Amino acid sequence: MLQREFKKQLLGRARRVVVKIGSQVLSTAKGIAEERIRSLVHDLAALRDEGKELILVSSGAIAAGLAKLGIKERPVTIPQKQALAAVGQIKLMAIYEKEFSNFDKNVAQVLLTHEDLATRRRYLNAKHTLQTLLDSGLIPIVNENDTVSVEEIKFGDNDHLSALVATLLEADLLVILSDVDGVYDRDPRHHDSAQLFPLILKLKGLKGKISGGSRSPYGTGGISTKIGAAEKASAAGIPTIIANGLDSRILSKVFDPEEEAGTLILPEKSRLARRKHWIAYNLKPSGTIVVDHGAYEALVKKGKSLLPSGLKEVRGSFAVGECVRCLGPHGQEFARGLVNYSARELNQIKGQQSTRIEKILGHKAFDEIIHRNDLVLL
């Protein structure tokens, strides 16, 4: 009942929507489930006719490649996955193009790597390209560029990618379609008494309490990755609905304010500024720093910048301007930020007063290790 009340408020103003369709929904043991795609496209086309701007984040390229080449087991090496993705992506897009053309809808393929959204210039280029496609009335279909991605530049899963795309385009709603009905208090596949959460008002603290990953041989993420995606979207002020894409009527239910469907996760009331969201969720940390109790208190409770006097330890090798994890005195990560000095330089000035930076290093760019404007509390 409560979910329906919030849906009535949200759906009325949800003009731009990102829909993520997982491998569990699109794949079968024999390959791509074309009937399922046909059903989803039918409902997506109807939403487009209602005036909604749609961005589709679709998995399934590797699964399509497996079927195309007659391979039964998912490969483990990156080159094998890349080869299968190269074969399967063509098949997957051909199906989407055919099905959307039945409703006079044109689609565009957009393949991204993590670097495309982690590098500021490429981030803006991706934003402008996707915006132009939407302005032209097309439906962008986004996937990770598995043919070139390696571990260092991978998003990790399309749940994460869908949240970043939703944030990039300032979407009004993120819909994640998986093979479960939503978020449960425990894995419903193993616990008959598992209870579905129709509505989640606050995500904080919930992620660690939910267990149960996908059992699909094609899926890379379980429910925890979907909650992680919702967390990223929430920080940008975007609500998320996690629902079962195996239900042939699921999109009709999701966008019907009179029906309950899946789990609706409401966003944070105070959203992160776009730059800080980019620092927190788009960048992969290059290293770690550990601060003392005084610095931790100053950062968390007083809104201060991080000075070298509060730095206890430097881990890893990183350059000026790179993103680092910030750990508190008890080892917990509490923030991320962009450093004004390299790891080598920080090891020389840690524990020192800012007035001694120039004497120790021979130069001083900033008094702060991380300025407050470049720091995001997690």
Side-chain angles (χ1 to χ4, degrees):
M1 182 70 72
L2 195 57
Q3 187 200 80
R4 291 200 290 269
E5 292 302 313
F6 279 102
K7 278 179 67 176
K8 288 176 184 177
Q9 299 173 32
L10 294 171
L11 295 179
R13 58 177 183 263
R15 179 171 177 267
R16 179 171 292 180
V17 180
V18 173
V19 179
K20 184 264 180 177
I21 306 178
S23 295
Q24 309 95 324
V25 176
L26 297 181
S27 307
T28 68
K30 296 181 180 179
I32 294 297
E34 295 192 36
E35 283 294 329
R36 207 167 288 153
I37 292 181
R38 188 169 297 121
S39 175
L40 290 168
V41 167
H42 174 276
D43 289 346
L44 288 166
L47 291 171
R48 186 71 190 88
D49 287 337
E50 292 174 9
K52 296 192 184 299
E53 292 181 333
L54 298 175
I55 305 95
L56 195 59
V57 177
S58 177
S59 303
I62 292 178
L66 287 169
K68 183 77 173 177
L69 298 180
I71 299 173
K72 294 184 179 180
E73 292 188 6
R74 186 181 178 93
V76 294
T77 70
I78 286 179
Q80 289 173 321
K81 292 178 183 178
Q82 290 171 329
L84 286 171
V87 173
Q89 187 67 26
I90 296 173
K91 173 70 173 175
L92 184 64
M93 285 304 301
I95 296 171
Y96 275 124
E97 184 176 37
K98 173 188 171 186
E99 296 302 333
F100 273 109
S101 68
N102 291 332
F103 300 94
D104 296 322
K105 302 290 184 291
N106 292 318
V107 299
Q109 175 179 259
V110 180
L111 299 177
L112 297 172
T113 66
H114 188 275
E115 278 295 298
D116 294 320
L117 299 187
T119 304
R120 195 66 181 168
R121 178 178 58 82
R122 289 163 68 173
Y123 175 91
L124 294 173
N125 285 343
K127 180 183 177 75
H128 295 155
T129 298
L130 286 163
Q131 183 63 59
T132 300
L133 293 173
L134 292 173
D135 291 343
S136 302
L138 281 78
I139 300 173
I141 301 178
V142 182
N143 196 359
E144 180 162 12
N145 193 350
D146 289 313
T147 59
V148 300
S149 290
V150 293
E151 285 303 320
E152 290 77 11
I153 59 172
K154 283 180 69 66
F155 290 102
D157 57 76
N158 274 355
D159 295 322
H160 178 55
L161 173 58
S162 68
L164 296 185
V165 169
T167 304
L168 174 76
L169 291 170
E170 300 175 62
D172 302 306
L173 178 66
L174 171 62
V175 178
I176 298 177
L177 300 182
S178 185
D179 59 347
V180 292
D181 291 332
V183 181
Y184 287 82
D185 59 351
R186 65 193 72 186
D187 191 337
R189 298 181 180 91
H190 304 303
H191 301 276
D192 294 336
S193 60
Q195 297 292 312
L196 176 71
F197 296 118
L199 179 69
I200 296 176
L201 299 173
K202 285 186 69 97
L203 264 178
K204 189 175 181 181
L206 181 67
K207 189 176 177 183
K209 298 177 183 178
I210 304 298
S211 61
S214 171
R215 295 190 302 172
S216 165
Y218 305 113
T220 59
I223 196 65
S224 63
T225 66
K226 290 156 186 59
I227 294 173
E231 183 179 40
K232 296 173 181 67
S234 174
I238 302 170
T240 299
I241 294 178
I242 299 173
N244 194 334
L246 300 178
D247 181 342
S248 61
R249 291 188 55 246
I250 192 57
L251 287 174
S252 299
K253 293 177 181 177
V254 164
F255 286 92
D256 184 346
E258 297 300 329
E259 286 206 52
E260 287 202 354
T263 298
L264 170 61
I265 301 172
L266 298 184
E268 295 286 341
K269 291 181 180 179
S270 56
R271 59 186 297 174
L272 279 176
R274 274 181 284 178
R275 173 175 164 77
K276 290 208 170 188
H277 193 283
W278 176 73
I279 292 171
Y281 297 115
N282 286 59
L283 301 182
K284 288 190 175 182
S286 301
T288 300
I289 61 174
V290 183
V291 305
D292 64 22
H293 181 74
Y296 175 81
E297 292 285 311
L299 294 171
V300 173
K301 296 183 178 180
K302 299 178 182 179
K304 301 292 186 180
S305 299
L306 178 60
L307 302 176
S309 57
L311 180 61
K312 289 178 61 179
E313 184 183 349
V314 179
R315 301 174 186 171
S317 177
F318 47 85
V320 175
E322 292 194 310
C323 180
V324 297
R325 296 183 183 89
C326 301
L327 305 187
H330 301 296
Q332 78 281 17
E333 181 182 4
F334 71 94
R336 291 187 182 184
L338 306 181
V339 288
N340 291 325
Y341 294 93
S342 68
R344 181 183 60 81
E345 291 169 327
L346 289 183
N347 271 313
Q348 293 177 268
I349 62 174
K350 65 184 179 184
Q352 301 292 328
Q353 296 298 315
S354 296
T355 53
R356 300 201 66 235
I357 293 176
E358 186 169 8
K359 183 176 182 180
I360 295 170
L361 298 181
H363 66 89
K364 182 171 77 169
F366 300 93
D367 285 334
E368 309 89 0
I369 290 175
I370 302 177
H371 192 277
R372 182 68 193 183
N373 293 341
D374 294 328
L375 183 79
V376 185
L377 298 177
L378 301 181

